[in-house]
Amino acid sequence: MPKHENLEAGGSIEVLHLRDIRRHDCSFQGEKRSIFASDQSRKHLPSAKLIPAIIEELCKVEKETADPEFGRFMRNVISAHKQNLKPTQEAAPIVGSLRHSFIEQGPKGLRIQIKYAYHGYLANQRFSKSNLQDQARVADMRYPVEWYPATRQMQRTIHLHVGPTNSGKTYHALKKLEQAESGLYAGPLRLLAHEVYTKLNAKGKPCHLITGDERHVVEADNVTLTSCTVEMVSVNEPVDVAVIDEIQMIGHEERGWAWTQALLGLRAKELHLCGEERTVPLIRELAAAMGDDLQVHHYQRLSPLKIMSKSLKGDLGNLRKGDCIVGFSKLMIHRYKQWLETTTGKPVAVIYGGLPPEVRAHQAVLFNDPNNDYDVLVASDAIGMGLNLSIKRIVFSATRKFNGRVEQPIEAAQIKQIAGRAGRYRVASQADGAHSPVKELSGAGLSPDASSAKTLGLVTTLEREDLPALQTAMTSQPDPIMSAGILPPVDVVVKFAAYFPPSTPFSYILLRLHSISALHPRFFLCALKNRLEISDIIEPVQGLTISDRIIFCASPASPRHDSMRPILRAFAECVARKSGGAILDIPALKIEHLNVRYAVQSIEYLQNLELLHMALVLYLWLSYRFAGIFTTREMAFYVKGLVEERIQQALSKLADKRKRISKPPTGRIVGHITESMDPDANDAGDGSGDGLLGIDQSLGPSIKPDSHLTGNINVDDAEGSTQSMPDVGLDVTIPDFAPTQQSLSSAP
């Protein structure tokens, strides 16, 4: 690791760079626009202008501090920058890391990097060589297979079901689960966990539901089946059959650890994995390392899928009944919905990650019903998994999207997954003539025996220039997944944190642990991203233990939403005080948004409801971890249900309040779009990526009925993840439909 010699003290500064752990992905909204506000503009600045800008910001930091030691550190850093435009060999690492942070993330990124550099400097001053060696031993994570000794004593049989979307692979795995005396389903979304739970109970197979913010325990004797989100998997209880859905998520940058934990740790005689063909090489290696038998089952798509030779030529007027247009920013999704509704006079269904799963499920049912006027669906990539939709044609509004920093092509695997939603093989409920909202959303319940004929699915793009990229992606073979995500177990984090003084920011401890961890090439450490920001938000709260901070960092919070920051801090203060957790005693929750009259509903009002829903999900999530503090769970479920009703009403009423538009919004988004349409944003696991540090989120082998869980039990909300969706901050060019700066700033 690079070091910078301290010119005065003769010590060294450990440069813990954000790049070492895939960068601390901060979202800096509200920053004053200047020539330095854009990472693209900063990248092209010559050193003669860039270095003075950095020095100016460093001087501000130095003047703001009251800590003499930090002041001396800052003066050394400033001096290293002032020496000349080509710093000395000793100073180059710290200068380079600060310059990179400033270019990538602006003044706030520079300040974050300064904080980590300072604590690295302190660590080097305090730790002896033997201390550093001890830390390295704690951070040795080369053999995660050995973390589950009870499982390694079993001889498991792994069935890997691989194939494209709509091939029936999950259906066959669930058939094995239905026939088992004991078993577990682990899915990527709450919507899927709830659907499998409902399906099994409807078939007379008593099944529990366990997600991050919901526990539905069946009050019956000898219940041996559980449906859960993958983060909530219990690796302590033996079962006959376990099904892990969407196994390709094992390579997900943030959530992959949960799939790895389930694969390595589940004590199942038969373990069924469902996912994409590109997982086969990795699963073969892992199965061999664990000593398990592996059987690979290949599936073909049940209905044909055709790539159209022509686009819609940029005209939304070419959409037809059964179409779904996929957008990659919430702003554009609402624009499309607005134009279609005001032009056709018909309602349009809408699905995106920021909506609660319950609302998305209802919107899907509206679109699937052939006997109403919801002919078209406008959606984000949230439709890629978890919803079975009667889509005839998928229309991509773009083949590139903004990832929070730069615009980049959408991965071929994601394009294929979204495109595969077209021409879905009919579900059993449709074949039977039923229209149950839950059964029609059976993403895991495809029935190859349905009597209906196969339907042709079509895929195209809105714009002509995107069609070649779509055609290339659909005919290409995605790269195989070669490594699995992991996170350090809780006991490792607690032990590692004990080396640092209490004043050390927890985010620095996490970063340092990640940076010195030893890994096997078959594994990678999942990115921390917004978990670090959660840590920094609650850092000032006194009285929290390391375990408390670990739990909060694993929570389904969305710290990139400015309004979520005071809510997070308020919840943390309740935990620190060990009181004050009643839902009506927390003003930051803003429950008064429910009192807004329908007449004044707007997109801003809808956004406030979505944020309130996220806050309530976080409250419920915490109520299962701090039950003695957050005591009004039943009321929170009730208010959450009210919010979901209001969101549904707001979606249906927004069209009535909008001005009619004469031309469709056909332009292309060209600037910064910090609205990442993450499909797991509001439905990822049991939060936005619960179990940040490998926490066992399950209730364990002994599940007791909870009197609070009767009545208004709602499917939970994410997630990662990621997730979590940042606020919109847009620089856009939209011909014929150019919003004002005011409308952009208030868009969700």
Side-chain angles (χ1 to χ4, degrees), residues 580-643:
I583 191 171
L584 297 180
D585 294 338
I586 307 175
L589 276 177
K590 304 288 185 185
I591 297 178
E592 61 270 17
H593 286 315
L594 289 172
N595 296 327
V596 176
R597 294 176 58 86
Y598 293 154
V600 296
Q601 289 183 3
S602 62
I603 291 181
E604 184 177 3
Y605 171 69
L606 177 61
Q607 181 186 21
N608 289 335
L609 289 177
E610 292 172 3
L611 290 172
L612 176 57
H613 193 275
M614 292 180 191
L616 291 167
V617 166
L618 176 58
Y619 180 94
L620 289 167
W621 189 93
L622 291 169
S623 75
Y624 290 104
R625 281 88 180 159
F626 302 101
I629 298 172
F630 302 102
T631 56
T632 51
R633 184 186 303 152
E634 191 170 358
M635 180 179 291
F637 271 119
Y638 175 72
V639 176
K640 177 172 170 280
L642 292 178
V643 174

Side-chain angles (χ1 to χ4, degrees), residues 102-380:
F102 182 76
I103 290 173
E104 291 293 319
Q105 299 174 332
K108 290 188 178 180
L110 180 69
R111 288 174 177 246
I112 290 172
Q113 187 63 48
I114 277 289
K115 178 180 72 172
Y116 297 141
Y118 175 61
H119 285 284
Y121 159 73
L122 293 180
N124 285 338
Q125 298 295 314
R126 292 167 178 160
F127 294 142
S128 64
K129 184 177 181 180
S130 62
N131 288 145
L132 295 174
Q133 290 173 343
D134 290 342
Q135 291 179 26
R137 279 192 287 270
V138 172
D140 187 349
M141 287 179 274
R142 290 175 294 172
Y143 309 108
V145 169
E146 299 176 0
W147 295 351
Y148 311 95
T151 309
R152 297 290 77 80
Q153 294 176 10
M154 299 179 62
Q155 180 62 54
R156 303 185 303 175
T157 299
I158 299 176
H159 294 269
L160 178 58
H161 305 265
V162 294
T165 303
N166 193 20
S167 60
K169 52 187 181 293
T170 308
Y171 169 81
H172 286 91
L174 286 176
K175 280 295 183 184
K176 293 293 185 181
L177 179 61
E178 290 177 15
Q179 299 164 6
E181 292 187 6
S182 64
L184 173 143
Y185 169 82
L189 304 176
R190 300 181 192 89
L191 203 60
L192 282 176
H194 192 281
E195 197 280 326
V196 172
Y197 151 81
T198 303
K199 180 180 179 182
L200 290 174
N201 280 289
K203 291 189 173 185
K205 305 279 187 180
C207 177
H208 298 307
L209 173 68
I210 303 177
T211 68
D213 54 84
E214 182 180 6
R215 309 283 195 276
H216 200 174
V217 178
V218 177
E219 298 187 24
D221 296 332
N222 300 320
V223 179
T224 58
L225 297 178
T226 299
S227 181
C228 64
T229 44
V230 69
E231 286 87 354
M232 301 299 292
V233 163
S234 171
V235 298
N236 299 316
E237 186 175 6
V239 295
D240 291 331
V241 174
V243 176
I244 305 175
D245 210 354
E246 304 291 353
I247 188 60
Q248 72 275 2
M249 293 286 286
I250 199 171
H252 192 277
E253 183 182 19
E254 293 180 71
R255 296 182 66 199
W257 67 268
W259 276 261
T260 305
Q261 174 182 269
L263 172 59
L264 301 186
L266 267 171
R267 298 174 63 189
K269 296 176 183 177
E270 281 189 24
L271 185 58
H272 292 260
L273 314 177
C274 307
E276 299 175 11
E277 189 84 32
R278 60 195 180 113
T279 62
V280 173
L282 176 61
I283 301 302
R284 284 193 190 279
E285 288 193 30
L286 293 176
M290 295 183 291
D292 295 329
D293 294 330
L294 175 65
Q295 298 179 23
V296 182
H297 308 273
H298 299 271
Y299 297 81
Q300 300 299 319
R301 183 176 168 87
L302 295 174
S303 58
L305 184 65
K306 179 182 178 181
I307 308 167
M308 298 183 69
S309 59
K310 295 182 179 179
S311 72
L312 268 59
K313 300 179 181 179
D315 187 358
L316 290 179
N318 289 327
L319 289 171
R320 58 197 186 206
K321 184 178 178 66
D323 280 355
C324 171
I325 180 166
V326 180
F328 296 96
S329 82
K330 195 186 299 184
L331 174 67
M332 290 309 297
I333 286 173
H334 282 295
R335 297 296 193 214
Y336 293 147
K337 173 179 167 66
Q338 176 183 6
W339 186 87
L340 290 167
E341 288 182 334
T342 56
T343 302
T344 66
K346 293 184 177 182
V348 171
V350 60
I351 294 173
Y352 55 87
L355 294 175
E358 298 83 353
V359 175
R360 277 182 274 166
H362 183 68
Q363 291 287 307
V365 171
L366 291 175
F367 175 71
N368 286 342
D369 187 350
N371 299 318
N372 63 24
D373 290 332
Y374 285 84
D375 295 342
V376 174
L377 172 65
V378 180
S380 73

Side-chain angles (χ1 to χ4, degrees), residues 58-121:
L58 293 175
C59 289
K60 292 179 183 178
V61 175
E62 191 267 333
K63 290 179 181 178
E64 293 169 1
T65 183
D67 182 349
E69 188 170 6
F70 182 65
R72 286 193 296 272
F73 170 81
M74 286 303 306
R75 287 191 290 273
N76 289 336
V77 172
I78 293 170
S79 175
H81 280 79
K82 285 183 176 179
Q83 287 179 16
N84 48 55
L85 295 180
K86 296 182 178 180
T88 63
Q89 184 176 357
E90 295 81 5
I94 185 66
V95 171
S97 67
L98 293 178
R99 182 183 303 183
H100 178 84
S101 297
F102 182 76
I103 290 173
E104 291 293 319
Q105 299 174 332
K108 290 188 178 180
L110 180 69
R111 288 174 177 246
I112 290 172
Q113 187 63 48
I114 277 289
K115 178 180 72 172
Y116 297 141
Y118 175 61
H119 285 284
Y121 159 73

Side-chain angles (χ1 to χ4, degrees), residues 293-607:
D293 294 330
L294 175 65
Q295 298 179 23
V296 182
H297 308 273
H298 299 271
Y299 297 81
Q300 300 299 319
R301 183 176 168 87
L302 295 174
S303 58
L305 184 65
K306 179 182 178 181
I307 308 167
M308 298 183 69
S309 59
K310 295 182 179 179
S311 72
L312 268 59
K313 300 179 181 179
D315 187 358
L316 290 179
N318 289 327
L319 289 171
R320 58 197 186 206
K321 184 178 178 66
D323 280 355
C324 171
I325 180 166
V326 180
F328 296 96
S329 82
K330 195 186 299 184
L331 174 67
M332 290 309 297
I333 286 173
H334 282 295
R335 297 296 193 214
Y336 293 147
K337 173 179 167 66
Q338 176 183 6
W339 186 87
L340 290 167
E341 288 182 334
T342 56
T343 302
T344 66
K346 293 184 177 182
V348 171
V350 60
I351 294 173
Y352 55 87
L355 294 175
E358 298 83 353
V359 175
R360 277 182 274 166
H362 183 68
Q363 291 287 307
V365 171
L366 291 175
F367 175 71
N368 286 342
D369 187 350
N371 299 318
N372 63 24
D373 290 332
Y374 285 84
D375 295 342
V376 174
L377 172 65
V378 180
S380 73
D381 45 4
I383 64 168
M385 64 175 71
L387 292 170
N388 190 24
L389 296 157
S390 301
I391 298 172
K392 178 65 176 177
R393 180 173 64 174
I394 289 284
V395 179
F396 284 86
S397 66
T399 53
R400 300 175 65 86
K401 68 176 180 178
F402 193 70
N403 67 359
R405 295 190 306 273
V406 296
E407 190 183 75
Q408 63 183 18
I410 302 169
E411 293 183 359
Q414 186 180 14
I415 286 180
K416 285 186 172 183
Q417 188 172 42
I418 296 171
R421 299 295 141 179
R424 294 281 291 176
Y425 206 78
R426 294 180 66 187
V427 295
S429 61
Q430 291 172 320
D432 297 338
H435 291 286
S436 165
V438 175
K439 289 183 180 179
E440 286 199 351
L441 297 178
S442 180
L446 294 173
S447 173
D449 299 324
S451 59
S452 61
K454 295 180 179 180
T455 58
L456 173 66
L458 301 172
V459 185
T460 188
T461 60
L462 177 62
E463 304 287 350
R464 183 184 293 107
E465 55 265 38
D466 285 321
L467 192 57
L470 173 69
Q471 293 168 336
T472 299
M474 293 295 293
T475 55
S476 66
Q477 292 297 324
D479 294 333
I481 298 172
M482 299 307 298
S483 58
I486 61 171
L487 279 175
V490 173
D491 58 340
V492 170
V493 179
V494 172
K495 187 175 182 179
F496 190 79
Y499 286 101
F500 297 85
S503 60
T504 306
F506 186 59
S507 59
Y508 173 77
I509 295 173
L510 294 180
L511 281 172
R512 185 178 176 96
L513 175 58
H514 269 55
S515 69
I516 70 170
S517 294
L519 298 170
H520 189 281
R522 196 179 291 123
F523 300 95
F524 68 90
L525 278 173
C526 288
L528 297 175
K529 291 194 174 181
N530 67 336
R531 281 76 163 185
L532 294 175
E533 197 166 356
I534 292 174
S535 177
D536 288 338
I537 289 170
I538 65 173
E539 187 65 42
V541 179
Q542 300 296 316
L544 294 176
T545 66
I546 290 295
S547 296
D548 294 337
R549 295 185 186 278
I550 290 174
I551 291 173
F552 269 93
C553 288
S555 70
S558 301
R560 295 170 183 171
H561 288 287
D562 289 339
S563 57
M564 284 297 294
R565 295 169 182 262
I567 295 171
L568 260 171
R569 200 170 292 117
F571 288 163
E573 289 169 351
C574 291
V575 173
R577 294 194 307 267
K578 296 181 172 56
S579 64
I583 191 171
L584 297 180
D585 294 338
I586 307 175
L589 276 177
K590 304 288 185 185
I591 297 178
E592 61 270 17
H593 286 315
L594 289 172
N595 296 327
V596 176
R597 294 176 58 86
Y598 293 154
V600 296
Q601 289 183 3
S602 62
I603 291 181
E604 184 177 3
Y605 171 69
L606 177 61
Q607 181 186 21

